[in-house]
Amino acid sequence: CTYADLLLSACQILSPGFLTLAPVSKAPCLCYSDTAWAPQLFDGAIETCASWAQTADPADYPGIATYDGFCTSIGDILSSAPSGGSTTPIPVPAPQPVTPKSTNSECAFVGSALSFCASATPGFATLLPGQMATCLCYSSTAWKPNGFDSPLSTCAEFAKTAS
């Protein structure tokens, strides 16, 4: 569920009030990679997460299931937008491949978060740490540094012992 959660959190950071938007207004953030319609990114992450939650976390399953097939059901809304339309897609990260011998889920999350921030923030890699925190350490408008710092710490420990 990490990738789906990362996308939803990123959209909330980039679009205040995101959760209250109409589905068609959420689609540019959740269903596109740059300007290309990529419904499988979010829909696939939700399908996997919902499948897991159905038995492992039944209390969270209904909330997750509301997004099942979201992008596919909305469709490619930007292809039908008139030229110069007001809908601007927000870049979303492509899922990072996980190679069991070289990474773990926390490291994959860190990589996805950094990849997302780099695509959403021009010059991200050259920013000062405090400026990077704007992308990495907030959920919507709430300061949540452990959302990134905890996985980063776990990944660093993993990297110390990985061969």
Side-chain angles (χ1 to χ4, degrees), residues 101-124:
K101 292 180 183 175
S102 64
T103 190
N104 68 9
S105 63
E106 300 298 327
C107 293
F109 173 82
V110 168
S112 291
L114 291 171
S115 178
F116 171 79
C117 290
S119 70
T121 308
F124 178 79

Side-chain angles (χ1 to χ4, degrees), residues 17-122:
F18 178 80
L19 294 177
T20 61
L21 295 175
V24 72
S25 297
K26 292 178 183 179
C29 187
L30 295 174
C31 306
Y32 289 81
S33 178
D34 196 18
T35 58
W37 189 52
Q40 70 283 2
L41 295 178
F42 184 69
D43 286 357
I46 288 294
E47 182 180 352
T48 301
C49 184
S51 178
W52 170 84
Q54 193 167 17
T55 56
D57 195 356
D60 284 339
Y61 175 74
I64 297 165
T66 62
Y67 284 101
D68 192 34
F70 178 83
C71 295
T72 304
S73 69
I74 296 290
D76 185 2
I77 61 165
L78 298 182
S79 70
S80 61
S83 295
S86 62
T87 304
T88 303
I90 297 170
V92 294
Q96 300 298 309
V98 176
T99 307
K101 292 180 183 175
S102 64
T103 190
N104 68 9
S105 63
E106 300 298 327
C107 293
F109 173 82
V110 168
S112 291
L114 291 171
S115 178
F116 171 79
C117 290
S119 70
T121 308

